[in-house]
Amino acid sequence: MVRIAHAVLTVRSLEASREFYVDLLGMNVLHEEPGALYLRGVEDREWTLKLVQEDHARVRHLAYRVAGEADLDALVALAERQGLPYRWEEELDRPRLLRLQDPFGIPVAFYHESQKHRWLLQDYHLHRGPGLQRVDHVNVMVPDVERTMRWYMDELGFRLSEYTVDEQERYWAAWIQRRGGVHDLALTNGAGPRLHHWAYWMPDITAIVRTCDILAGARQPERIERGPGRHGVSNAFFLYIRDPDGHRIELYTSDYVTVDPDFEPIRWLRDDPRRQTLWGAKTPRSWFEEASDMEAFDGGVVPAVAGDLTGIPVHVI
Ligand SMILES: [Fe+2]
Protein backbone atom coordinates (compact mmCIF):
# COMPACT_ATOMS: atom_id res chain seq x y z
CA MET A 1 0.00 0.00 0.00
CA VAL A 2 1.51 3.29 -1.07
CA ARG A 3 -1.07 6.03 -0.62
CA ILE A 4 -4.60 7.30 -1.11
CA ALA A 5 -5.00 7.90 -4.85
CA HIS A 6 -8.42 8.77 -6.24
CA ALA A 7 -12.14 9.09 -5.56
CA VAL A 8 -15.01 8.42 -7.93
CA LEU A 9 -18.05 10.49 -6.94
CA THR A 10 -21.43 10.57 -8.62
CA VAL A 11 -23.05 13.97 -9.13
CA ARG A 12 -26.49 15.11 -10.34
CA SER A 13 -25.24 17.79 -12.71
CA LEU A 14 -21.86 17.50 -14.34
CA GLU A 15 -22.16 21.08 -15.57
CA ALA A 16 -22.71 22.43 -12.06
CA SER A 17 -19.77 20.31 -10.88
CA ARG A 18 -17.59 21.58 -13.72
CA GLU A 19 -18.33 25.16 -12.72
CA PHE A 20 -17.37 24.42 -9.11
CA TYR A 21 -14.30 22.21 -9.57
CA VAL A 22 -12.88 23.60 -12.82
CA ASP A 23 -14.07 27.21 -13.22
CA LEU A 24 -13.89 28.20 -9.54
CA LEU A 25 -11.37 25.81 -7.92
CA GLY A 26 -9.20 25.64 -11.05
CA MET A 27 -8.78 21.86 -11.20
CA ASN A 28 -7.16 20.55 -14.37
CA VAL A 29 -9.32 18.43 -16.70
CA LEU A 30 -7.17 15.46 -17.66
CA HIS A 31 -9.86 13.67 -19.63
CA GLU A 32 -13.53 14.02 -20.32
CA GLU A 33 -16.12 11.85 -21.98
CA PRO A 34 -19.91 11.99 -22.07
CA GLY A 35 -21.09 11.85 -18.47
CA ALA A 36 -17.67 11.91 -16.79
CA LEU A 37 -14.86 14.31 -15.89
CA TYR A 38 -11.38 13.25 -14.73
CA LEU A 39 -9.66 15.95 -12.66
CA ARG A 40 -6.30 16.52 -10.97
CA GLY A 41 -4.35 19.11 -9.00
CA VAL A 42 -1.22 20.69 -10.43
CA GLU A 43 1.13 18.25 -8.65
CA ASP A 44 -0.95 15.16 -9.42
CA ARG A 45 0.64 13.10 -12.18
CA GLU A 46 -2.59 11.10 -12.52
CA TRP A 47 -6.26 12.00 -12.23
CA THR A 48 -7.34 12.04 -8.60
CA LEU A 49 -11.06 12.82 -8.84
CA LYS A 50 -13.57 11.35 -11.28
CA LEU A 51 -17.05 12.85 -11.38
CA VAL A 52 -19.80 10.78 -12.95
CA GLN A 53 -23.24 12.09 -13.87
CA GLU A 54 -26.02 10.06 -12.21
CA ASP A 55 -29.43 10.80 -10.75
CA HIS A 56 -27.91 10.64 -7.25
CA ALA A 57 -24.82 11.93 -5.44
CA ARG A 58 -22.77 9.13 -3.88
CA VAL A 59 -19.30 7.70 -3.48
CA ARG A 60 -18.69 5.03 -6.11
CA HIS A 61 -15.32 4.10 -4.59
CA LEU A 62 -12.19 5.38 -2.87
CA ALA A 63 -8.95 4.09 -4.38
CA TYR A 64 -5.47 3.42 -3.04
CA ARG A 65 -2.31 2.86 -5.07
CA VAL A 66 -0.26 -0.25 -4.23
CA ALA A 67 3.44 -0.83 -4.91
CA GLY A 68 3.09 -3.69 -7.39
CA GLU A 69 0.87 -6.38 -8.91
CA ALA A 70 1.83 -8.81 -6.11
CA ASP A 71 0.09 -6.52 -3.65
CA LEU A 72 -3.12 -6.88 -5.66
CA ASP A 73 -2.79 -10.68 -5.47
CA ALA A 74 -2.37 -10.39 -1.69
CA LEU A 75 -5.51 -8.26 -1.49
CA VAL A 76 -7.46 -10.87 -3.47
CA ALA A 77 -6.25 -13.49 -0.99
CA LEU A 78 -7.37 -11.25 1.89
CA ALA A 79 -10.80 -10.80 0.30
CA GLU A 80 -11.13 -14.59 -0.19
CA ARG A 81 -10.02 -15.28 3.39
CA GLN A 82 -12.44 -12.77 4.91
CA GLY A 83 -15.33 -13.34 2.51
CA LEU A 84 -15.24 -9.77 1.16
CA PRO A 85 -16.98 -9.22 -2.20
CA TYR A 86 -14.52 -8.25 -4.95
CA ARG A 87 -14.20 -7.95 -8.73
CA TRP A 88 -11.80 -6.56 -11.32
CA GLU A 89 -12.70 -3.27 -12.97
CA GLU A 90 -11.03 -0.86 -15.37
CA GLU A 91 -10.95 2.93 -14.99
CA LEU A 92 -9.70 4.84 -18.04
CA ASP A 93 -5.90 4.37 -17.82
CA ARG A 94 -5.97 1.94 -14.87
CA PRO A 95 -6.42 -1.48 -16.49
CA ARG A 96 -6.37 -3.59 -13.30
CA LEU A 97 -8.44 -2.04 -10.58
CA LEU A 98 -9.39 -4.36 -7.74
CA ARG A 99 -12.75 -3.19 -6.39
CA LEU A 100 -13.84 -4.63 -3.07
CA GLN A 101 -16.13 -3.82 -0.19
CA ASP A 102 -14.24 -3.64 3.10
CA PRO A 103 -15.73 -5.36 6.18
CA PHE A 104 -17.44 -2.10 7.18
CA GLY A 105 -19.16 -1.51 3.83
CA ILE A 106 -16.73 1.11 2.50
CA PRO A 107 -16.34 0.77 -1.31
CA VAL A 108 -12.59 0.68 -1.89
CA ALA A 109 -10.40 -0.03 -4.91
CA PHE A 110 -6.71 -0.75 -5.37
CA TYR A 111 -4.46 -0.45 -8.41
CA HIS A 112 -0.82 -0.31 -9.39
CA GLU A 113 -0.59 0.27 -13.15
CA SER A 114 -1.62 3.72 -14.30
CA GLN A 115 -0.68 6.25 -16.92
CA LYS A 116 1.43 9.18 -15.74
CA HIS A 117 0.87 12.63 -17.20
CA ARG A 118 3.00 15.69 -17.53
CA TRP A 119 3.45 17.49 -14.24
CA LEU A 120 1.91 20.97 -14.10
CA LEU A 121 3.51 22.04 -10.82
CA GLN A 122 5.98 24.42 -12.43
CA ASP A 123 3.75 25.37 -15.35
CA TYR A 124 2.61 28.33 -13.32
CA HIS A 125 1.13 30.01 -16.38
CA LEU A 126 -1.42 27.17 -16.53
CA HIS A 127 -2.49 27.41 -12.88
CA ARG A 128 -6.03 28.61 -12.35
CA GLY A 129 -8.10 29.46 -9.29
CA PRO A 130 -6.63 29.01 -5.81
CA GLY A 131 -4.14 26.31 -6.92
CA LEU A 132 -5.26 22.89 -5.65
CA GLN A 133 -1.97 20.99 -5.57
CA ARG A 134 -2.35 17.26 -4.88
CA VAL A 135 -4.70 14.74 -3.34
CA ASP A 136 -3.99 14.54 0.37
CA HIS A 137 -6.43 12.30 2.26
CA VAL A 138 -9.91 10.98 2.73
CA ASN A 139 -12.09 11.10 5.84
CA VAL A 140 -14.78 8.46 6.34
CA MET A 141 -17.50 8.48 9.02
CA VAL A 142 -17.92 5.07 10.62
CA PRO A 143 -19.93 3.85 13.62
CA ASP A 144 -17.01 1.88 15.14
CA VAL A 145 -13.77 3.81 14.70
CA GLU A 146 -11.58 1.44 16.70
CA ARG A 147 -12.64 -1.74 14.87
CA THR A 148 -12.28 -0.06 11.46
CA MET A 149 -8.90 1.42 12.40
CA ARG A 150 -7.59 -1.96 13.62
CA TRP A 151 -8.53 -3.64 10.33
CA TYR A 152 -6.75 -1.03 8.22
CA MET A 153 -3.69 -1.21 10.49
CA ASP A 154 -3.57 -5.02 10.85
CA GLU A 155 -4.50 -5.99 7.28
CA LEU A 156 -3.26 -3.07 5.16
CA GLY A 157 -0.31 -1.83 7.22
CA PHE A 158 -1.58 1.64 8.10
CA ARG A 159 0.13 3.40 11.04
CA LEU A 160 -1.54 5.59 13.66
CA SER A 161 -0.50 9.25 13.83
CA GLU A 162 -3.19 10.89 15.98
CA TYR A 163 -6.36 9.75 17.74
CA THR A 164 -9.22 11.12 19.80
CA VAL A 165 -10.81 9.37 22.77
CA ASP A 166 -13.76 10.11 25.01
CA GLU A 167 -13.67 10.11 28.83
CA GLN A 168 -13.79 6.28 28.85
CA GLU A 169 -10.79 6.06 26.47
CA ARG A 170 -13.04 4.84 23.64
CA TYR A 171 -11.77 5.81 20.19
CA TRP A 172 -13.82 8.63 18.71
CA ALA A 173 -11.58 9.40 15.72
CA ALA A 174 -8.28 8.15 14.26
CA TRP A 175 -5.81 9.44 11.68
CA ILE A 176 -3.84 6.67 9.97
CA GLN A 177 -1.22 6.84 7.26
CA ARG A 178 0.91 4.92 4.77
CA ARG A 179 3.01 7.61 3.13
CA GLY A 180 4.62 9.33 6.12
CA GLY A 181 2.26 12.32 6.47
CA VAL A 182 -0.38 12.70 9.14
CA HIS A 183 -2.94 10.62 7.29
CA ASP A 184 -4.10 9.00 4.11
CA LEU A 185 -7.32 7.95 5.87
CA ALA A 186 -9.14 9.56 8.78
CA LEU A 187 -11.94 7.75 10.57
CA THR A 188 -14.50 9.87 12.40
CA ASN A 189 -17.33 8.64 14.59
CA GLY A 190 -20.77 9.01 13.08
CA ALA A 191 -23.53 7.18 11.26
CA GLY A 192 -21.83 5.39 8.42
CA PRO A 193 -20.06 4.35 6.44
CA ARG A 194 -20.32 7.70 4.67
CA LEU A 195 -17.76 9.99 3.08
CA HIS A 196 -17.05 12.89 5.39
CA HIS A 197 -14.62 14.64 3.04
CA TRP A 198 -12.09 14.32 0.24
CA ALA A 199 -9.05 16.55 0.70
CA TYR A 200 -6.49 18.37 -1.44
CA TRP A 201 -3.13 19.77 -0.33
CA MET A 202 -2.77 23.49 -0.98
CA PRO A 203 0.49 25.33 -1.68
CA ASP A 204 0.05 27.71 1.24
CA ILE A 205 -2.41 29.41 3.59
CA THR A 206 -2.91 32.30 1.16
CA ALA A 207 -4.28 29.87 -1.44
CA ILE A 208 -6.88 28.69 1.07
CA VAL A 209 -7.95 32.24 1.91
CA ARG A 210 -8.10 32.97 -1.83
CA THR A 211 -10.59 30.11 -2.22
CA CYS A 212 -12.94 31.96 0.15
CA ASP A 213 -12.51 35.16 -1.88
CA ILE A 214 -13.22 33.31 -5.13
CA LEU A 215 -16.39 31.67 -3.77
CA ALA A 216 -17.52 35.01 -2.34
CA GLY A 217 -16.78 36.74 -5.64
CA ALA A 218 -18.89 34.15 -7.44
CA ARG A 219 -21.71 34.92 -4.98
CA GLN A 220 -21.50 31.40 -3.56
CA PRO A 221 -20.43 31.99 0.06
CA GLU A 222 -22.84 29.22 1.12
CA ARG A 223 -20.29 26.73 -0.28
CA ILE A 224 -18.00 27.63 2.67
CA GLU A 225 -19.01 25.39 5.57
CA ARG A 226 -16.20 25.64 8.13
CA GLY A 227 -13.00 27.63 8.44
CA PRO A 228 -10.54 28.77 7.39
CA GLY A 229 -8.74 27.80 10.55
CA ARG A 230 -5.93 25.84 12.17
CA HIS A 231 -6.65 22.28 13.28
CA GLY A 232 -5.33 21.08 16.63
CA VAL A 233 -5.22 17.55 15.21
CA SER A 234 -2.60 17.49 12.40
CA ASN A 235 -1.70 21.19 12.89
CA ALA A 236 -3.00 21.74 9.36
CA PHE A 237 -4.55 24.96 8.12
CA PHE A 238 -7.94 24.03 6.67
CA LEU A 239 -11.12 25.03 4.87
CA TYR A 240 -14.20 22.86 4.32
CA ILE A 241 -16.39 23.59 1.30
CA ARG A 242 -19.41 21.80 -0.14
CA ASP A 243 -19.79 21.05 -3.84
CA PRO A 244 -23.14 21.53 -5.65
CA ASP A 245 -24.23 18.03 -4.55
CA GLY A 246 -23.10 18.48 -0.95
CA HIS A 247 -19.93 16.39 -1.26
CA ARG A 248 -17.53 17.94 1.24
CA ILE A 249 -14.05 18.94 0.06
CA GLU A 250 -11.27 19.97 2.44
CA LEU A 251 -8.44 22.24 1.34
CA TYR A 252 -5.49 21.53 3.63
CA THR A 253 -1.88 22.56 4.14
CA SER A 254 1.07 22.56 6.55
CA ASP A 255 0.90 19.32 8.53
CA TYR A 256 4.05 17.35 9.52
CA VAL A 257 5.94 14.10 8.78
CA THR A 258 5.53 10.79 10.61
CA VAL A 259 8.16 8.59 8.93
CA ASP A 260 10.19 7.62 12.00
CA PRO A 261 9.34 4.02 12.96
CA ASP A 262 9.15 5.00 16.64
CA PHE A 263 6.78 7.91 16.00
CA GLU A 264 4.52 8.26 19.05
CA PRO A 265 0.84 8.78 18.13
CA ILE A 266 -0.69 11.95 19.57
CA ARG A 267 -3.74 11.53 21.83
CA TRP A 268 -6.55 14.07 22.11
CA LEU A 269 -9.63 14.22 24.31
CA ARG A 270 -12.83 14.48 22.29
CA ASP A 271 -14.04 17.62 24.02
CA ASP A 272 -10.73 19.49 24.08
CA PRO A 273 -11.62 22.80 22.36
CA ARG A 274 -8.12 22.99 20.82
CA ARG A 275 -8.58 19.63 19.03
CA GLN A 276 -10.96 20.65 16.24
CA THR A 277 -9.66 24.19 15.86
CA LEU A 278 -6.52 25.28 17.69
CA TRP A 279 -8.01 28.75 18.02
CA GLY A 280 -11.06 27.34 19.84
CA ALA A 281 -13.62 28.24 17.16
CA LYS A 282 -16.79 26.16 17.22
CA THR A 283 -17.80 23.80 14.43
CA PRO A 284 -21.15 23.93 12.61
CA ARG A 285 -23.52 21.09 13.39
CA SER A 286 -23.76 20.15 9.69
CA TRP A 287 -20.08 19.17 9.81
CA PHE A 288 -20.89 16.42 12.32
CA GLU A 289 -24.13 15.25 10.76
CA GLU A 290 -23.93 15.52 6.97
CA ALA A 291 -21.91 13.21 4.74
CA SER A 292 -22.09 11.46 1.36
CA ASP A 293 -23.69 8.04 0.94
CA MET A 294 -21.56 5.17 -0.31
CA GLU A 295 -22.40 2.66 -3.05
CA ALA A 296 -23.03 -0.94 -2.17
CA PHE A 297 -21.13 -3.65 -4.04
CA ASP A 298 -24.09 -4.58 -6.22
CA GLY A 299 -25.45 -1.05 -6.57
CA GLY A 300 -27.72 0.93 -4.29
CA VAL A 301 -26.58 2.53 -1.05
CA VAL A 302 -24.78 1.07 1.94
CA PRO A 303 -27.16 1.78 4.86
CA ALA A 304 -25.66 4.26 7.32
CA VAL A 305 -25.65 2.80 10.83
CA ALA A 306 -25.15 4.79 14.03
CA GLY A 307 -22.76 3.43 16.64
CA ASP A 308 -22.58 3.55 20.44
CA LEU A 309 -20.57 6.77 20.38
CA THR A 310 -22.45 8.55 17.60
CA GLY A 311 -23.28 12.04 18.81
CA ILE A 312 -22.15 15.64 18.64
CA PRO A 313 -19.16 16.93 20.65
CA VAL A 314 -19.62 20.03 22.78
CA HIS A 315 -17.95 22.71 20.66
CA VAL A 316 -20.72 23.17 18.12
CA ILE A 317 -22.35 26.35 16.83
FE1 LIG B 1 -9.35 16.14 6.67
Side-chain angles (χ1 to χ4, degrees):
M1 187 72 51
V2 179
R3 60 176 173 83
I4 186 72
H6 76 238
V8 178
L9 305 180
T10 65
V11 297
R12 294 184 188 87
S13 165
L14 207 54
E15 281 319 298
S17 296
R18 182 197 296 271
E19 189 211 351
F20 179 76
Y21 287 100
V22 180
D23 299 346
L24 296 178
L25 298 187
M27 292 194 78
N28 179 259
V29 180
L30 198 48
H31 177 76
E32 60 182 297
E33 58 194 35
L37 271 178
Y38 295 76
L39 307 175
R40 63 168 168 165
V42 291
E43 186 186 338
D44 290 326
R45 292 174 170 83
E46 315 172 333
W47 57 272
T48 51
L49 179 62
K50 178 185 180 184
L51 302 172
V52 185
Q53 169 113 25
E54 295 281 1
D55 59 4
H56 49 68
R58 293 178 191 153
V59 178
R60 184 143 286 165
H61 68 242
L62 305 167
Y64 297 87
R65 184 139 197 261
V66 300
E69 296 297 322
D71 289 352
L72 295 175
D73 298 337
L75 285 161
V76 168
L78 172 68
E80 296 270 3
R81 207 163 55 242
Q82 299 194 349
L84 306 175
Y86 72 92
R87 61 177 172 251
W88 291 99
E89 293 185 357
E90 191 175 342
E91 278 284 358
L92 188 63
D93 47 15
R94 288 159 208 190
R96 281 189 96 222
L97 187 85
L98 177 64
R99 162 80 170 86
L100 61 82
Q101 210 80 8
D102 82 5
F104 317 99
I106 304 171
V108 287
F110 304 89
Y111 71 94
H112 172 66
E113 188 183 341
S114 64
Q115 186 185 342
K116 302 296 179 205
H117 296 269
R118 194 169 67 85
W119 210 30
L120 302 177
L121 186 62
Q122 293 173 327
D123 287 342
Y124 286 102
H125 62 299
L126 299 179
H127 293 198
R128 298 288 180 268
L132 273 64
Q133 188 163 323
R134 62 172 183 266
V135 60
D136 191 85
H137 65 265
V138 64
N139 183 313
V140 178
M141 271 182 141
V142 291
D144 189 336
V145 166
E146 181 164 8
R147 204 162 71 86
T148 312
M149 174 193 83
R150 296 275 175 229
W151 187 83
Y152 276 85
M153 292 173 72
D154 294 346
E155 304 297 348
L156 303 184
F158 279 75
R159 298 177 287 269
L160 183 63
S161 55
E162 303 202 24
Y163 61 103
T164 299
V165 292
D166 68 6
E167 315 76 51
Q168 282 88 50
E169 292 295 320
R170 296 175 299 186
Y171 278 78
W172 193 82
W175 287 259
I176 57 178
Q177 59 85 16
R178 281 297 305 165
R179 66 170 195 273
V182 173
H183 59 319
D184 292 88
L185 171 62
L187 300 164
T188 305
N189 190 281
R194 292 181 297 161
L195 174 70
H196 191 274
H197 61 264
W198 180 251
Y200 280 90
W201 179 269
M202 300 296 281
D204 52 36
I205 290 171
T206 308
I208 291 179
V209 174
R210 182 163 160 69
T211 309
C212 297
D213 282 337
I214 288 171
L215 292 171
R219 305 296 191 271
Q220 298 183 31
E222 69 280 4
R223 302 251 176 265
I224 301 170
E225 183 185 35
R226 178 184 169 200
R230 171 81 65 187
H231 280 311
V233 173
S234 81
N235 188 53
F237 197 87
F238 70 89
L239 174 72
Y240 294 95
I241 54 180
R242 307 291 292 271
D243 85 357
D245 286 280
H247 295 309
R248 186 181 289 106
I249 301 293
E250 183 183 17
L251 304 179
Y252 176 101
T253 193
S254 82
D255 64 4
Y256 59 89
V257 297
T258 57
V259 287
D260 280 9
D262 56 355
F263 176 85
E264 279 287 328
I266 297 170
R267 172 182 170 277
W268 292 87
L269 281 172
R270 190 189 74 160
D271 294 333
D272 181 345
R274 289 163 54 88
R275 182 185 72 82
Q276 295 170 178
T277 306
L278 197 63
W279 310 335
K282 293 183 176 178
T283 301
R285 183 169 292 270
S286 62
W287 194 89
F288 290 104
E289 294 181 338
E290 297 174 10
S292 301
D293 287 332
M294 294 188 153
E295 276 195 7
F297 191 73
D298 296 316
V301 177
V302 180
V305 176
D308 294 343
L309 304 185
T310 298
I312 306 289
V314 292
H315 299 284
V316 173
I317 297 169

